[in-house]
Amino acid sequence: MKPNFKYILIIILSLSVSVSTAQETQNDSIDAGTVNVVKPYTPKISDAFKIKETPSLNDSTTAKKKEIKYNIFSIPVASTFTPAKGKAATVDKEKPVKLYDNYASLGVGTYTTILGEVYLNHELSATERVGGYFSHHSSAGDIEGVNFDNNFSETGLNAHYSQKLSDYSWKVEGGFQLQTFNWYGLPDQNINRFDVDHSFYTANFGGQINFEDAIINKGSVLYRRFGDDQDSGENRFIMTSGFDVPVSDELINTEITIDYLGGAFDRNYFSDIELKYGNFNIGIAPSYQMKQDDLTVNVGVNLVFLNDTEASESKFFVYPNITASYRLVDELMIAYGGIQGGLIQNSYYDFAQVNPFVSPTLFIVPTDQTYNVSVGLKGKLSNSLSYNVSGHYLANNNRALFKTNPVLGTAEEKYQFGNSLGVVYDDVSTFSIAGELNVDINRNFTLGMKAEYFAYNTDDEAEAWNLPDIEASLFLDYQIDKHWFAGASLFFVGERKDLFAIEQSLIPIDSPSTITLDSFFDVNAHVGYKISDQLSAFAKANNIANQNYQRWMNYPVQGIQFLAGASYQFDF
């Protein structure tokens, strides 16, 4: 060991001298030089070294696990616990409401009022159904301050048959209606009484068909005969069809309408000369719908050809048919608007349904609605509250206005005593603003409110006769519990203007005077009790405020009215 230690010591001393010499000769400054890159650096990633999860140990001192031996020693224990079997939780379900196919109702009330209706619907097979409808509403009148008969009666009967197949469904129906009224609105109720009754009858027959996945989507046809007991009669035939026309991988929805109207009155208001009228029009209305994100636009046009069969004159009309809607905030706020127009086919039937006191001496012509511009905002403030605000501007040429006929000094007919209304036509522009609010809470409480303001401008007539400046309505229905239910309605109509005149052979005896009809509101309510799933009892009250208002000049209405009855649902 000693010789080896001597040699190791000599080598260490030699290395120490060499290092000292190299440090003394080294320059402290860094010599700038040029580095020539012969090959670009291309690094390579080598495989990672992964440590084994269970490394092997070569430690001789590692302790070895001792083997443990154990035994289970069981001791019986008395127990009275008996676990109950688990039961899945259930959701309480309401008993499904039984729906019946047939319905009958009957009520009687003050003024000898009778209100009844029966609706029948029977399933012949899985695809066929047949049904019918009967209704009757009558009252003895007894209006305060009226010395002439003022009772009325309306009775209707309708029957239908329908079939639904895989590719199409169709329905055919027919009906008859009889209505009786009285021209009781004489300016002078103190003259000798005479019969002022008159009646209307209506018979109709028609059908409709709908196709699935076909070029022709739908079609309908209607024939209606309308007349009265004054030798007046009117025929109307309407046929419509809707189909899709493919154009460059797009579909153009098109509707075609054929409308014929013809009728005659036994005389006009001032003489025995017969009045005849007849209009035949064909309309075609193609439209195309474009959708992009929240915007929906319908672009179309309405083309109408009109032939006046009595005057042998023809006209062609072109109307815009453009609507659009945009979702500003999903269902919360939707803006919409449009500009549309069309030819409105006026008829004796339509006038009599709105105003049953018209005289059988009307001049019938269509109304040319040049355009109807609308803009609005609708949406939902919550899941149960929705709203709709809109504005309209309409331009109507030959708009029909109801105006009271003058009192004739040589009156021969029961409607020539200033107790009937005629129709005059004028070019009327209308501006309106409307608001609507609907509340629907759990389907047990519904409330609807609507109001609209109108402003009119006429060309020839002094006023927009019998058109109100304000209309408002309110509807309420409340399901109190499973037995009790109630509801109410309110109607408000603003002021209207009419004309009172006395004439002798078309020469005014006195200067015509404009009469302002007061505004009015009509409050109605009803309550009912569901005795069983099939039988219910109800009570109604109409004109609760007992307003003796005039819907038309010199035509007051009944005061407060009460009616009670029952309804029954059943199956055959």
Side-chain angles (χ1 to χ4, degrees), residues 14-90:
S14 300
L15 290 174
S16 299
V17 174
S18 299
V19 171
S20 299
T21 306
Q23 289 179 350
E24 292 176 0
T25 57
Q26 184 178 1
N27 193 352
D28 292 338
S29 62
I30 298 175
D31 187 15
T34 300
V35 177
N36 295 324
V37 178
V38 178
K39 180 181 179 181
Y41 177 64
T42 55
K44 294 183 180 179
I45 300 176
S46 60
D47 293 337
F49 175 73
K50 184 177 180 181
I51 301 176
K52 294 182 180 180
E53 294 182 358
T54 305
S56 57
L57 300 176
N58 294 324
D59 193 350
S60 59
T61 62
T62 300
K64 293 183 180 180
K65 293 181 180 180
K66 294 182 179 181
E67 183 179 357
I68 299 175
K69 295 182 180 181
Y70 58 90
N71 295 320
I72 298 175
F73 181 70
S74 299
I75 300 175
V77 178
S79 176
T80 59
F81 173 72
T82 304
K85 295 182 179 179
K87 185 178 180 181
T90 59

Side-chain angles (χ1 to χ4, degrees), residues 181-448:
F181 299 96
N182 287 274
W183 285 300
Y184 64 86
L186 281 79
D188 186 2
Q189 291 288 325
N190 296 320
I191 64 175
N192 294 329
R193 292 183 59 179
F194 56 90
D195 291 335
V196 290
D197 63 310
H198 64 286
S199 60
F200 302 112
Y201 68 87
T202 308
N204 62 79
F205 180 81
Q208 58 189 23
I209 187 169
N210 296 290
F211 296 93
E212 298 288 341
D213 300 326
I215 295 179
I216 299 178
N217 301 323
K218 59 184 178 179
S220 66
V221 62
L222 170 67
Y223 170 74
R224 181 177 63 228
R225 172 67 181 180
F226 178 73
D228 58 26
D229 60 348
Q230 307 294 314
D231 296 328
S232 307
E234 178 183 82
N235 296 305
R236 187 164 188 186
F237 177 80
I238 305 173
M239 185 171 66
T240 63
S241 178
F243 56 92
D244 295 328
V245 179
V247 177
S248 300
D249 297 332
E250 299 290 344
L251 292 178
I252 306 298
N253 180 264
T254 305
E255 294 188 0
I256 294 180
T257 302
I258 298 175
D259 192 346
Y260 168 77
L261 178 71
F265 296 101
D266 189 55
R267 56 169 296 160
N268 61 43
Y269 190 76
F270 299 98
S271 67
D272 294 334
I273 299 176
E274 185 182 25
L275 280 178
K276 292 185 177 181
Y277 58 94
N279 297 306
F280 175 74
N281 65 62
I282 299 177
I284 179 170
S287 64
Y288 173 68
Q289 186 179 83
M290 297 179 294
K291 287 186 176 182
Q292 184 175 1
D293 298 332
D294 295 326
L295 177 64
T296 301
V297 179
N298 293 285
V299 180
V301 64
N302 188 5
L303 309 174
V304 181
F305 171 79
L306 170 67
N307 176 248
D308 188 334
T309 58
E310 291 296 325
S312 299
E313 295 179 353
S314 299
K315 292 182 180 180
F316 185 75
F317 302 89
V318 179
Y319 300 103
N321 186 17
I322 302 172
T323 60
S325 65
Y326 182 74
R327 296 178 182 271
L328 298 174
V329 187
D330 293 332
E331 297 292 333
L332 300 180
M333 186 178 297
I334 302 174
Y336 66 93
I339 175 170
Q340 297 173 293
L343 189 68
I344 302 173
Q345 182 82 289
N346 296 313
S347 67
Y348 184 28
Y349 171 83
D350 294 331
F351 290 144
Q353 300 309 303
V354 175
N355 184 350
F357 308 112
V358 292
S359 63
T361 59
L362 306 180
F363 184 62
I364 307 294
V365 296
T367 296
D368 172 22
Q369 188 174 94
T370 307
Y371 54 83
N372 178 1
V373 180
S374 62
V375 61
L377 196 66
K378 63 181 180 180
K380 290 185 176 181
L381 299 177
S382 66
N383 291 332
S384 59
L385 182 62
S386 62
Y387 68 93
N388 188 2
V389 180
S390 62
H392 296 263
Y393 184 78
L394 296 81
N396 291 309
N397 298 326
N398 287 331
R399 177 169 181 174
L401 304 172
F402 292 111
K403 186 170 73 171
T404 298
N405 289 319
V407 179
L408 294 186
T410 58
E412 298 177 353
E413 303 293 338
K414 60 180 72 176
Y415 51 81
Q416 292 180 325
F417 294 83
N419 57 334
S420 65
L421 288 90
V423 174
V424 295
Y425 296 88
D426 195 10
D427 295 343
V428 182
S429 58
T430 306
F431 171 76
S432 68
I433 297 178
E436 185 176 354
L437 194 65
N438 293 288
V439 180
D440 189 351
I441 302 176
N442 297 330
R443 298 182 180 180
N444 291 328
F445 178 84
T446 58
L447 173 67

